[in-house]
């Protein structure tokens, strides 16, 4: 992990330390919530910046993303085949989360994968899903107008919400409903009626594709003959609407800006936006010409982002963060099965509303997180020979060493005290006078590292 | 069920009975021997065994540290209620098409609304209470249960002002009210009223994630994927560090959290519950090789996830674990058949029917049938008028109450297709909140008014014998 200020977190010295400690905590939170946690040196770098500079460093990346660190491999040393091999789609993206120097771009791609949640369970083509993934990445911090237009006619979306199956005379409402309910306006707010859904469904007709045995869906195209050319009435206005009009109608609906603002807010904050915040963010959104970046910056600069309560880390963020913290790349396919245990397998959200964000943790997914830590730590487990120190090592020192190996993450006081107590208890178990021998010290280190990374504290940021 | 693509040669009762007879001579088969260790832990079996063996110490150690919290609470719960009743909730996600499962071939409007998808007359199995309806050929298992008087059928379950959003309508069913703001599931609210702080198994979701129906406000509940594999592995840690390390999961979970940190409080609550759950599930894990120790007296559909979950429930109740409320949702079976309905729906119907029949036979073989009642529901039915190759979201849909103590028969009537609601959907003839209140009162002996908002407004059908 490089030379980290291992003692800073635990032994604040009276002079200027409190400021440093607060800034480190803010850096941790920003890096976790607007990315995938820190890599070596990130916390120290961000802690030196003003809040605004730190946020802009994430929201205004320059040029193409650079991937640094070991190339992704299977345990057998083979390169990934993301379009073709089961699970390699997940690994390919996890690798970008771990290695990109533009983590917020990946995080926004993840947010929009949840926002426009399509599952390969139905699309049945890793190639189409990865194509959609590139689309989401391209617009991740750009214009929501452009993103919404592009996703509406994205091949995976056309398959997932049955656009390819909808035509004049037999309209399939699936996309029409979700484009308003989940993507742009929200249910139960009075923004639209059931009648609007049916009319909008007619406007969206015309897209199609061919299904070829062995190839899946191909030849995505707009076929004017399949389009319902009749007059439609949406939101009380009539017209001969087509699919582009459908997008514009939703975006121009007066309920859209507040929907966008409140939905985006909840990806970064553990509490809903209050009315004043919603209005302020909606104004930013309108005023910026529907710029995603502008609203993200407003959220990340909100005082409550730093002073408010901690928020549970989404499972894939947690896993990518473990690997970043440990400086480890993708070197096993185990992360695919583990993703399911943790409750977030990329490209397989449970349904079109995405993952259930306010219930990431339960007894099953918590065990998944424990198992993920076991896998993450496996290559660096200590043995009496490996990593053994001559120092008899007090309980406190043992905790410091474990924290330093993990980038010195902040812990709450009660957790720190509990772990010191644990450290003392296990050391005294056999040789209370002489202190723990090398075998016991190695086991104690392994246990402390596991407990820190699996602790309730570390599940949140 | 092995050849799901061939509708003419699917699951039949005769086949099930033959299979059951063939296996009976072998004694109780164990559960599928290849049942996996926790996915992706990267641990060898031996390592895992080591972890499992150490677990017992952890639990006993924890018991010494915190006297009375773990096993006494569980033992108390189990001993207090050895004949306790269990309610199982099975959710069919996506909105199952009731007009395929129980097809109104005798309704003159059916062919007009479903020119491509209507079940042809003469197919399927008769439905005793209404000659207009027939069970789909792939629903034979349900027809068998219904004819035995063990499956009560609600042909038009719903509520006034039906919402055609998956998420809104499902949410209403989950919280037991047409209220988008409620955050606690109706079964979670029941457990909050009668449950205890030391028995996570009182509410169990067998889907790998907590079902919102069961989300409580106060008491701990459990979510599991594979109950027999629930334990915390520990590489590179051995005696004497191991026991305190596993205790520390519960210890860190038990730390006090200020009210201003709800997510941290939740993380600690879950860690504490997870630690407790390991102890509760110990009877399920074989001490020698980490494989599940429970078998099944009857075969389940071999590839069905739902069947596997129901099988685990029967085994857990059989082992005396103190289950009260269990959710076993049919996740993985998508009933949102907007397209290609005729190709996809029949095999999913067969999966659900075959799993429920096997579950009932399993409970009967174990002598548990009088203790378990199962509610089967979906967030809505589908629109009577087809859309091409599929159907869009509708309103009233199917519900079942399964069990030896179920009233059987039909609850509410089939409203017919001549008059639809203002959205051209099926009209409801029984309200889901009346069904919930009836289950609470007649099966669980609870006060429905403390669980279901405005419970007095809804008529209770007779659901229990």
């Amino acid at each position: 992990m490089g030379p980290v200020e291992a003692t800073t977190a635990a032994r604040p010295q009276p002079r200027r330390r409190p400021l440093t400690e607060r800034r480190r905590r803010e850096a941790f939170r920003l890096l976790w919530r607007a990315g995938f946690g820190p890599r070596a040196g990130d916390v120290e770098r961000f802690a030196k910046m003003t809040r605004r500079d730190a946020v802009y460093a994430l929201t205004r990346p320059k040029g193409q993303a650079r991937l640094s660190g070991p190339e992704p491999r299977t345990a057998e040393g083979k390169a990934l085949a993301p379009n073709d091999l089961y699970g390699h789609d997940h690994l390919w993206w996890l690798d970008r989360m771990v290695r990109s120097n533009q983590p917020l771009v990946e995080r926004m791609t993840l947010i929009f994968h949840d926002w426009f949640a399509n599952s390969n369970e139905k699309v049945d083509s890793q190639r189409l899903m990865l194509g959609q993934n590139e689309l989401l990445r391209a617009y991740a911090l750009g214009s929501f107008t452009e993103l919404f237009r592009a996703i509406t006619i994205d091949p995976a979306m056309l398959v997932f919400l049955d656009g390819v199956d909808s035509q004049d005379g037999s309209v399939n409402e699936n996309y029409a409903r979700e484009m308003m309910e989940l993507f742009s306006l929200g249910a139960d707010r009075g923004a639209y009626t059931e009648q609007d859904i049916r009319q909008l469904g007619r406007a969206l007709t015309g897209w199609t594709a061919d299904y070829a045995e062995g190839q899946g869906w191909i030849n995505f195209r707009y076929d004017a003959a399949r389009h319902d050319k009749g007059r439609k009435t949406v939101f009380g206005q009539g017209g001969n609407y087509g699919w582009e009009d459908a997008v514009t109608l939703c975006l121009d609906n007066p309920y859209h800006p507040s929907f966008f603002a409140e939905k985006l807010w909840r990806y970064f904050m553990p509490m809903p936006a209050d009315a004043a915040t919603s209005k302020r963010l909606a104004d930013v959104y309108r005023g910026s010409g529907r710029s995603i970046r502008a609203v993200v910056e407003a959220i990340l600069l909100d005082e409550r982002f730093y002073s408010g309560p901690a928020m549970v880390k989404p499972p894939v963020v947690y896993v990518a963060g473990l690997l970043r913290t440990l400086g480890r790349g993708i070197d096993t396919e185990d992360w695919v099965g583990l993703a399911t245990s943790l409750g977030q397998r990329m490209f397989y959200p449970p349904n079109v509303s995405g993952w259930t964000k306010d219930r990431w943790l339960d007894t099953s997914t918590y065990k998944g997180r424990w198992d993920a830590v076991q896998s993450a730590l496996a290559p660096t487990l200590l043995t009496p020979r490996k990593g053994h120190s001559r120092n008899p090592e007090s309980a406190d020192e043992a905790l410091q060493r474990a924290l330093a190996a993990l980038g010195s993450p902040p812990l709450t006081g009660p957790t720190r005290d509990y772990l010191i107590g644990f450290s003392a208890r296990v050391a005294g178990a056999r040789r209370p006078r002489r202190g723990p021998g090398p075998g016991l010290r190695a086991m104690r280190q392994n246990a402390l590292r596991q407990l820190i990374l699996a602790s309730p504290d570390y599940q949140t940021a | 069920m092995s050849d799901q693509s061939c509708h003419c040669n699917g699951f039949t009762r005769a086949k099930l009975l033959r299979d059951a007879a063939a296996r009976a001579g072998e004694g109780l088969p164990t559960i599928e021997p290849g049942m996996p260790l926790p996915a992706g832990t990267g641990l060898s079996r031996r390592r895992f065994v080591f972890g499992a063996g150490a677990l017992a110490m952890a639990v006993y150690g924890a018991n010494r540290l915190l006297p009375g919290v773990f096993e006494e609470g569980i033992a108390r719960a189990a001993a207090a209620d050895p004949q306790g009743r269990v309610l199982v909730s099975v959710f069919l996600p996506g909105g199952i098409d009731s007009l395929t499962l129980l097809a109104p071939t005798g309704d003159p409007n059916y062919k007009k609304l479903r020119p491509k998808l209507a079940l042809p007359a003469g197919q399927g199995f008769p439905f005793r209470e209404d000659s207009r309806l027939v069970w789909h050929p792939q629903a034979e298992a349900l027809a068998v249960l219904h004819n035995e008087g063990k499956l009560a059928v609600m042909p038009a379950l719903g509520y006034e002002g039906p919402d055609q959003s998956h998420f809104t309508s499902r949410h209403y069913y989950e919280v037991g009210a047409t209220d988008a703001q409620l955050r606690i599931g109706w079964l979670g609210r029941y457990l909050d009223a009668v449950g205890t702080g030391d028995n996570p198994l009182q509410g169990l979701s067998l889907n790998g994630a907590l079902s919102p129906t069961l989300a409580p406000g106060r008491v701990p509940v459990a979510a599991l994927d594979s109950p027999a594999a629930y334990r915390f592995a520990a590489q590179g840690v051995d005696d004497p560090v191991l026991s305190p390390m596993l205790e520390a999961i519960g210890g860190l979970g038990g730390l006090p959290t200020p009210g201003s940190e709800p997510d941290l409080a939740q993380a600690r609550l879950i860690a504490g519950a997870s630690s407790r759950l390991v102890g509760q599930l110990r009877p399920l894990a074989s001490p020698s090789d980490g494989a599940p120790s429970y078998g099944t007296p009857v075969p389940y559909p071999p590839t069905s996830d739902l069947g596997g979950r129901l099988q685990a429930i029967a085994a857990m109740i059989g082992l005396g674990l103190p289950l009260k409320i269990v959710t076993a949702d049919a996740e993985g079976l998508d009933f949102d058949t907007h397209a290609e309905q005729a190709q996809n729906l029949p095999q999913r119907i067969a999966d659900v029917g075959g799993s429920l029949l096997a579950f009932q036979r399993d409970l009967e073989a174990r002598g548990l049938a009088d203790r378990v009642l199962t509610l089967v529901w979906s967030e809505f039915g589908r629109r009577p008028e087809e859309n091409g190759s599929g159907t869009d979201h509708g309103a009233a849909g199917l519900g079942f109450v399964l069990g030896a103590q179920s009233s059987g028969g039909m609850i509410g009537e089939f409203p017919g297709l001549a008059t639809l609601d203002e959205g051209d959907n099926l009209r409801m003839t029984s309200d889901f909140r009346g069904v919930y209140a009836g289950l609470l009162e007649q099966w669980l002996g609870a006060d429905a008014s403390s669980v279901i908002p405005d419970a007095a407004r809804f008529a209770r059908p007779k659901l229990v014998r």
Side-chain angles (χ1 to χ4, degrees):
Chain A
M1 287 302 301
V4 188
E5 287 180 84
T7 55
T8 309
R11 291 263 167 262
Q13 295 166 10
R15 198 166 49 84
R16 88 185 162 78
R17 285 301 191 200
L19 176 66
T20 312
E21 180 57 17
R22 183 177 64 78
R23 291 192 146 194
R24 287 188 88 251
R25 280 176 185 271
E26 289 194 0
F28 265 105
R29 177 168 284 187
L30 178 65
L31 290 162
W32 273 106
R33 283 204 204 163
F36 301 88
R39 297 176 97 177
D42 283 351
V43 170
E44 289 63 33
R45 195 156 55 83
F46 275 76
K48 289 194 187 96
M49 301 181 201
T50 65
R51 277 183 188 172
R52 186 166 298 274
D53 287 346
V55 167
Y56 286 1
L58 294 167
T59 59
R60 302 178 182 193
K62 293 186 182 62
Q64 288 290 306
R66 209 162 32 77
L67 304 181
S68 58
E71 292 273 328
R73 290 277 184 260
T74 67
E76 294 76 37
K78 296 205 177 85
L80 300 184
N83 278 329
D84 301 314
L85 289 184
Y86 178 82
H88 285 210
D89 46 354
H90 181 91
L91 297 174
W92 177 86
W93 194 4
L94 183 63
D95 174 65
R96 290 194 68 94
M97 295 172 181
V98 172
R99 291 200 300 140
S100 175
N101 69 338
Q102 301 185 357
L104 182 60
V105 173
E106 295 306 317
R107 189 67 187 261
M108 290 306 300
T109 308
L110 177 61
I111 286 171
F112 285 123
H113 178 40
D114 183 83
W115 188 306
F116 300 105
N118 288 186
S119 171
N120 198 37
E121 191 71 42
K122 177 164 177 177
V123 175
D124 199 21
S125 163
Q126 290 177 202
R127 186 176 50 80
L128 292 185
M129 293 301 292
L130 288 165
Q132 181 181 85
N133 185 254
E134 285 298 347
L135 184 159
L136 298 175
R137 186 173 291 105
Y139 295 103
L141 286 164
S143 149
F144 191 75
T145 307
E146 289 173 28
L147 172 57
F148 200 25
R149 276 175 57 96
I151 197 75
T152 296
I153 58 169
D154 169 68
M157 180 65 87
L158 286 170
V159 174
F160 189 73
L161 290 182
D162 299 311
V164 293
D165 203 56
S166 187
Q167 61 175 313
D168 186 18
S170 58
V171 176
N172 190 310
E173 295 173 6
N174 210 0
Y175 188 76
R177 178 183 303 281
E178 308 308 1
M179 89 181 287
M180 293 199 279
E181 175 178 339
L182 297 172
F183 303 161
S184 68
L185 298 175
D188 309 316
R189 306 172 76 217
Y192 59 89
T193 64
E194 281 293 316
Q195 210 45 42
D196 289 329
I197 292 173
R198 295 183 190 198
Q199 297 283 306
L200 205 69
R202 294 175 55 215
L204 289 161
T205 52
W207 287 91
T208 188
D210 302 322
Y211 191 84
E213 212 52 59
Q215 293 184 72
W217 289 100
I218 52 172
N219 296 336
F220 289 83
R221 63 194 184 275
Y222 185 81
D223 176 357
R226 291 170 60 93
H227 177 61
D228 179 339
K229 296 174 189 66
R231 190 174 169 79
K232 300 105 185 167
T233 303
V234 181
F235 309 142
Q237 292 179 21
N240 292 323
Y241 299 131
W243 74 269
E244 290 167 292
D245 302 310
V247 170
T248 307
L249 282 163
C250 290
L251 293 174
D252 288 346
N253 184 300
Y255 286 87
H256 170 61
S258 57
F259 172 84
F260 177 88
E262 290 169 25
K263 183 158 178 151
L264 190 58
W265 169 272
R266 283 296 272 120
Y267 284 104
F268 294 101
M269 297 286 207
M271 75 300 262
D274 55 50
T277 305
S278 168
K279 184 176 180 314
R280 183 168 58 81
L281 295 174
D283 287 346
V284 169
Y285 181 61
R286 263 188 300 259
S288 64
R290 302 199 188 106
S291 160
I292 299 164
R293 182 195 323 273
V295 184
V296 171
E297 288 180 347
I299 293 170
L300 297 183
L301 287 168
D302 192 292
E303 170 59 30
R304 286 162 291 181
F305 184 84
Y306 303 95
S307 58
M311 186 174 182
V312 171
K313 299 167 184 169
V316 72
V317 173
Y318 178 73
V319 169
L322 291 176
L323 296 175
R324 287 168 67 90
T325 290
L326 296 168
R328 183 175 168 192
I330 305 298
D331 53 15
T332 165
E333 288 157 284
D334 285 355
W335 300 114
V336 181
L338 275 166
T340 305
S341 308
L342 273 85
Q344 196 177 27
R345 162 72 157 89
M346 297 296 90
F347 305 107
Y348 292 83
N351 58 55
V352 65
S353 78
W355 287 274
T356 308
K357 274 74 70 183
D358 57 355
R359 291 216 182 88
W360 286 123
L361 290 176
D362 57 45
T363 56
S364 181
T365 57
Y366 180 72
K367 179 180 136 45
R369 290 185 184 224
W370 176 279
D371 291 342
V373 175
Q374 285 276 301
S375 282
L377 289 174
T380 47
L381 285 177
L382 304 186
T383 66
R385 269 182 291 278
K386 186 175 142 198
H388 137 229
S389 99
R390 292 197 173 279
N391 177 353
E393 200 171 56
S394 71
D396 200 21
E397 286 165 345
L399 179 62
Q400 291 313 323
R401 178 150 74 107
L403 283 168
L406 306 173
S408 300
L411 297 176
T412 61
T415 293
R416 173 177 297 279
D417 292 345
Y418 185 94
L419 290 174
I420 291 173
F422 163 83
S423 186
R425 209 157 53 241
V426 300
R430 254 185 205 155
R431 305 192 301 175
R433 291 224 189 98
R434 294 169 54 202
L440 202 52
R441 288 205 300 272
M443 277 199 280
R444 179 168 70 172
Q445 268 305 302
N446 292 333
L448 280 169
R449 292 175 192 188
Q450 170 76 34
L451 287 171
I452 290 165
L453 295 178
S455 69
D457 282 25
Y458 198 82
Q459 307 313 308
T460 65
Chain B
M1 290 291 292
S2 55
D3 182 5
Q4 296 197 329
S5 62
C6 183
H7 300 163
C8 57
N9 187 26
F11 180 80
T12 66
R13 182 172 180 236
K15 181 170 182 309
L16 178 69
L17 293 175
R18 271 200 308 278
D19 288 352
R23 291 217 193 168
E26 304 168 13
L28 302 187
T30 54
I31 198 172
E32 172 57 45
M35 191 160 171
L37 297 174
T41 53
L43 304 181
S44 69
R45 179 165 279 247
R46 177 185 299 200
R47 274 218 168 105
F48 203 80
V49 172
F50 161 78
L55 194 70
M57 290 187 290
V59 173
Y60 291 124
N63 216 5
R64 280 200 303 276
L65 260 186
L66 302 164
V69 170
F70 296 132
E71 305 203 328
E72 284 175 31
I74 299 152
R76 201 166 48 239
D81 216 3
Q83 296 302 312
R85 289 175 161 184
V86 179
L87 179 64
V88 179
S89 166
V90 173
F91 169 55
L92 307 178
I96 192 169
D97 184 33
S98 58
L99 304 180
T100 295
L101 179 47
L102 198 55
T105 54
D107 188 309
N109 297 292
Y110 183 52
K111 273 299 283 183
K112 291 180 211 154
L113 292 162
R114 297 276 176 99
K116 290 186 200 150
L117 294 177
L119 185 70
Q123 288 194 16
F125 304 94
F127 181 74
R128 224 169 22 197
E129 285 80 4
D130 188 333
S131 62
R132 293 173 296 174
L133 303 175
V134 297
W135 293 100
H136 190 277
Q138 291 297 318
E140 184 177 7
L142 296 171
V144 167
L145 288 166
H146 184 63
N147 288 339
E148 290 178 9
K150 295 168 185 165
L151 187 79
V153 176
M154 295 166 266
L157 183 65
Y159 51 94
E160 294 295 342
D163 196 299
Q164 271 127 63
S165 154
H166 288 295
F167 313 101
T168 304
S169 196
R170 176 179 174 174
H171 176 84
Y172 290 169
Y173 275 88
E174 287 167 347
V175 301
T178 54
D179 181 339
Q181 305 307 319
L182 287 183
R183 303 305 303 159
I184 296 176
W186 75 280
L187 291 172
R189 220 173 307 125
Y190 164 72
L191 287 176
D192 277 342
V194 306
T196 61
D198 55 9
N199 176 20
L201 278 180
Q202 61 201 334
L204 172 64
S205 278
L206 270 180
N207 291 83
L210 184 62
S211 164
T213 306
L214 198 53
R218 183 177 73 82
V219 297
V221 296
L224 289 172
D225 191 5
S226 314
Y230 196 81
R231 62 186 73 88
F232 290 92
Q235 300 176 86
V237 181
D238 199 350
D239 185 52
V241 179
L242 184 58
S243 300
M245 173 181 168
L246 296 175
E247 280 163 29
I249 300 169
L252 289 167
L255 296 175
T257 313
S260 57
E261 292 283 354
D263 277 27
L264 180 58
Q266 172 73 357
R268 286 183 173 157
L269 182 81
I270 295 299
S274 300
S275 172
R276 222 157 290 161
L277 191 58
V278 170
Q280 285 189 306
L281 291 171
R282 205 143 32 91
L284 281 181
S286 151
S288 59
D289 65 356
S293 59
Y294 60 86
T296 168
V298 301
Y300 280 76
T303 59
S304 169
D305 289 343
L306 175 62
R309 288 167 195 146
L310 294 172
Q311 183 180 345
I313 294 171
M316 292 168 88
I317 299 170
L319 283 166
L321 294 177
L323 273 51
K324 284 184 191 298
I325 307 290
V326 188
T327 66
D329 298 340
E331 272 165 23
L333 292 180
D334 182 3
F335 290 99
D336 192 22
T337 48
H338 284 280
E340 299 190 1
Q341 179 169 301
Q343 292 89 317
N344 294 323
L345 185 54
Q347 69 200 44
R348 294 172 195 170
I349 289 174
D351 185 320
V352 170
S355 297
L356 290 172
L357 177 58
F359 182 50
Q360 183 61 29
R361 293 289 181 263
D362 190 351
L363 294 171
E364 288 167 4
R366 293 175 188 269
L368 301 170
D370 286 335
R371 290 181 53 200
V372 182
L373 204 61
T374 302
L375 171 70
V376 183
W377 60 281
S378 196
E379 68 264 47
F380 40 60
R382 305 196 76 80
R383 190 155 317 145
E385 185 177 13
E386 67 189 27
N387 70 10
S389 72
T391 51
D392 289 317
H393 302 181
L398 270 178
F400 302 129
V401 175
L402 167 68
Q405 290 298 316
S406 163
S407 61
M410 181 168 72
I411 294 167
E413 67 214 2
F414 180 69
L417 301 173
T419 308
L420 299 172
D421 73 6
E422 59 179 11
D424 301 323
N425 290 313
L426 202 63
R427 288 172 294 134
M428 70 98 172
T429 60
S430 36
D431 191 296
F432 74 101
R433 293 160 289 189
V435 173
Y436 289 0
L439 289 171
L440 288 163
E441 290 165 351
Q442 298 163 33
W443 184 244
L444 299 170
D447 172 15
S449 66
S450 65
V451 177
I452 305 298
D454 297 325
R457 273 177 55 209
F458 308 106
R460 273 68 148 170
K462 180 173 161 50
L463 299 165
V464 178
R465 256 173 222 285

